[in-house]
Every structure is written in structure tokens, then in C-alpha cells.
Amino acid sequence: MARDVAYGATLTAQDLAVVDVSLDPSVAAIPSSEAGSLVGQVAAVRLVAGSVLAPSQVTAAGPPGPGEVVVPLSLDHDRVPAGGLLPGDRLLVVDTPPEQADPPSTDPAVFETIVARVGVPDLNGVVVVDVVATDDDGPALAARAATGRFALVVQPRGDDS
């Protein structure tokens, strides 16, 4: 990779670099002869500059993929993490009780998601964040989004390849 590419972004020729490397045969890598076919493909994970591109890291279509749905989450400015959110960030969306209620006595419902897109704040500072969830989690997550009864837990950024 010539430069970093966000999860869900479309690859351009400028994102790619052809280099000579010696790899163990067990390492899956895209040969330089196929570099041209990568333009227009979509990053299935966050791609890091200097890394060797594997076939599993690109896909023909952006999120959502098979078995996935996109759920928009509206976040008031005070609910957006101070470090911001980026496409590819892994989040836990946690079900929360109504305002002024006691904390839950049982473990809350938790949904593992990946940030697909982050919108621009509106005049009131509200940001819409599109997250990718499984088909199974989509309806329950959408219900939480509709009521605003959720909290975000940002998981560590790291190699998600």
C-alpha cells in the first residue's frame, strides 16, 4: 500500500505501489500483475501504508457485505468520543436504561459494530455515524438507535486484517 486507506473506501491507482518482496508461500498476497484490477475495489479492512495487500482485504462492493446491515446512529456532540471516530473503528454499542433509572442488574445487550461512515455535524452538533452490524443484530440495534438508549465503547485500533 502506498498510503493508508480507510475501511469501505474505494481504491485508486495512487493508493497502490508495486514492490518486489520475498514472501513465504503460505502468505496470501496479490501479485503485481493483478494491481490494475484492484482499482475500484473496496477496502474490506483499514489498509496501512507499507503493508502487502492480501486478497481478503479487498472486495467488489462496499459495506454492507453479505450478512451485514448498516444502521445509522445519531450522536449529540457530547456523545462523540473526544478522539473522534473513523471508518473502520470497532465499536461496542451498549443498551442503556432510560434516563434517571438505576443501572441494569443484568448484563446489558451489546452489539459489535464497525464504523462505515461518519457524517458532518449539523448546526446543532449532531453527527450521524453509519455502523455495520450483523443481519441478526440490525433490528435490535436500530431500535436502540431510534430511542437514543445506547452508549458507545470504542475498542482499540489495531491490525484488523
Side-chain angles (χ1 to χ4, degrees), residues 102-126:
D102 289 331
S105 59
T106 60
D107 288 340
V110 176
F111 307 92
E112 292 184 25
T113 66
I114 298 174
V115 174
R117 288 172 289 280
V118 179
V120 177
D122 68 12
L123 293 175
N124 297 313
V126 175

Side-chain angles (χ1 to χ4, degrees), residues 72-86:
L73 303 176
S74 291
L75 301 174
D76 289 328
H77 64 85
D78 60 347
R79 294 180 71 190
V80 177
L85 294 170
L86 297 171

Side-chain angles (χ1 to χ4, degrees), residues 4 7-8 15 17 24 27 32 55 62 68 70-71 78 89 92 94-95 98-99 103 108 112 121 136 142 159:
D4 291 348
Y7 162 79
D15 297 325
D24 185 277
V27 176
S32 60
E68 298 176 332
V70 172
V71 178
D78 60 347
D89 281 350
L92 298 177
V94 181
D95 185 34
E99 282 190 42
E112 292 184 25
D136 292 339
D159 181 22

Side-chain angles (χ1 to χ4, degrees), residues 11 24 29 48 60 159-160:
L11 294 176
D24 185 277
V48 180
D159 181 22
D160 45 24

Side-chain angles (χ1 to χ4, degrees), residues 112-153:
E112 292 184 25
T113 66
I114 298 174
V115 174
R117 288 172 289 280
V118 179
V120 177
D122 68 12
L123 293 175
N124 297 313
V126 175
V127 174
V128 176
V129 178
D130 289 344
V131 297
V132 177
T134 65
D135 276 341
D136 292 339
D137 286 345
L141 182 56
R144 270 61 171 201
T147 64
R149 288 186 38 208
F150 65 88
L152 300 181
V153 177

